[in-house]
Amino acid sequence: MTFSDFVMNNELPIRLGFFFGIFGMMALWEIIAPRRSLQTSKAVRWANNLGLVFFNSFVVRLLFPAAAVGVAVFASEQGWGLFNYIEAPFWAAVLASVLIMDFFIWLQHVMVHAVPVLWRLHRVHHADMDFDVTTGARFHTLEIMLSMLIKFAVILLLGPPVLAVVLFEVVLNATAMFNHGNVHLPETLDRFLRLIVVTPDMHRVHHSVEDDETNSNFGFNLPWWDRLFGTYRAQPRAGHEAMSIGIRTFREDKWCSWLPGMLAIPFVGKVQDYAINRRQWGPADEQ
Ligand SMILES: [Zn+2]
Ligand SMILES: [Zn+2]
């Protein structure tokens, strides 16, 4: 059995192993060297954020049992997609596929901020009033489903090697947990690391209540797209300890920390009242 076959046949245990391993490491790191003190109850947030993660995993497995790997296998059997069409060296196809998939995740993230109805879904990720490893996996179920469909479309067009898809999912999952970590990194290490990967200090800027800061640092994995497209912002104006995290108009625990409120966030307020320059519009504007 080749390495690729092994990875393909054991995709789920590999992904779960990395998820729990890195989650545990980050959780421990957050206790040993936290970056900020938490503003709300950690027990409530963790129970509800992780509740949403497990609910989403269940729904995704039910709706898309083949997952991204299944779509990549299907594309290769059908000969669909760029890399099933051109003759590229295996390593080049893996490298290029990972890069291109990361770019599309970045582009999708810009899109869910720019399109009002999609921002409604993405607000669930941003409404978290604290920023830690559980924030990294907290997305509305409908946004997760949208992400899956976009990923499937990209895979069908790209025809990436199956190994690239598994690699990408594992790496993206790991970096998302890393860069949402409420962890302290020495400044020089952060400066060096953020040349190759999005660091917690870099992504925290994106979780600021300030509109211009929210609309920067869209990367989850590679930091280059933000630098290339002009959305990079090095630090929050107020500093990492003093900055406010979340959405200005969602400040109550019932919306931000409890699962029923989080699932309801996309349906709060009227679509037609919403303008792109009022991104942070929420229930407080309804009075
Ligand atoms: Zn965002
Ligand atoms: Zn985030």
Side-chain angles (χ1 to χ4, degrees):
M1 194 197 289
T2 65
F3 178 65
S4 295
D5 288 338
F6 173 80
V7 169
M8 226 167 81
N9 296 333
N10 296 284
E11 181 245 346
L12 189 62
I14 290 172
R15 276 177 45 192
L16 286 177
F18 272 97
F19 174 79
F20 286 111
I22 292 164
F23 184 87
M25 267 163 44
M26 292 307 299
L28 203 63
W29 190 357
E30 288 185 347
I31 295 169
I32 296 167
R35 182 68 158 119
R36 291 162 50 93
S37 51
L38 298 178
Q39 312 292 306
T40 55
S41 159
K42 185 171 176 176
V44 170
R45 278 185 55 255
W46 276 47
N48 286 275
N49 285 358
L50 293 176
L52 180 57
V53 174
F54 287 118
F55 175 66
N56 286 344
S57 313
F58 175 74
V59 171
V60 164
R61 277 281 145 186
L62 206 67
L63 289 179
F64 310 109
V69 172
V71 178
V73 171
F74 175 77
S76 98
E77 283 168 359
Q78 303 294 318
W80 289 359
L82 182 68
F83 288 110
N84 290 317
Y85 189 72
I86 59 167
E87 291 278 328
F90 182 70
W91 64 269
V94 170
L95 204 67
S97 299
V98 169
L99 265 173
I100 294 169
M101 284 188 282
D102 193 63
F103 171 70
F104 276 100
I105 294 283
W106 178 86
L107 198 61
Q108 180 192 332
H109 192 186
V110 174
M111 182 181 79
V112 297
H113 275 259
V115 179
V117 75
L118 300 181
W119 166 245
R120 285 171 165 267
L121 304 179
H122 190 56
R123 286 194 296 202
V124 176
H125 181 63
H126 281 268
D128 203 340
M129 288 192 286
D130 278 314
F131 176 91
D132 69 16
V133 60
T134 62
T135 316
R138 168 192 149 132
F139 290 92
H140 195 277
T141 317
L142 293 173
E143 184 172 4
I144 294 280
M145 284 159 62
L146 176 76
S147 296
M148 292 297 282
L149 293 176
I150 291 174
K151 203 185 296 173
F152 292 172
V154 171
I155 291 171
L156 289 176
L157 290 172
L158 194 60
V162 175
L163 180 70
V165 175
V166 180
L167 198 69
F168 178 69
E169 302 240 90
V170 167
V171 170
L172 185 73
N173 205 244
T175 52
M177 284 191 280
F178 167 66
N179 63 41
H180 285 85
N182 180 31
V183 293
H184 186 267
L185 263 82
E187 210 184 305
T188 31
L189 178 64
D190 182 281
R191 215 176 313 138
F192 169 73
L193 266 183
R194 70 167 71 184
L195 295 175
I196 47 170
V197 69
V198 175
T199 64
D201 275 10
M202 183 175 161
H203 191 66
R204 195 177 297 102
V205 179
H206 181 73
H207 280 258
S208 164
V209 296
E210 302 295 338
D211 282 354
D212 57 340
E213 292 180 343
T214 308
N215 289 303
S216 65
N217 299 1
F218 293 97
F220 280 122
N221 188 18
L222 297 171
W224 308 325
W225 313 119
D226 285 302
R227 296 197 189 239
L228 199 62
F229 290 95
T231 47
Y232 174 69
R233 191 177 283 261
Q235 308 295 341
R237 272 186 299 276
H240 288 280
E241 281 88 7
M243 70 183 286
S244 291
I245 302 274
I247 300 179
R248 205 187 297 283
T249 45
F250 283 93
R251 304 312 291 174
E252 291 169 60
D253 277 343
K254 76 166 178 166
W255 297 110
C256 304
S257 303
W258 290 92
L259 193 46
M262 285 185 222
L263 287 173
I265 281 180
F267 311 102
V268 176
K270 296 191 193 83
V271 171
Q272 60 266 39
D273 292 344
Y274 176 86
I276 283 180
N277 59 1
R278 295 177 67 214
R279 277 168 216 289
Q280 306 233 338
W281 175 84
D285 289 354
E286 282 178 301
Q287 286 103 41

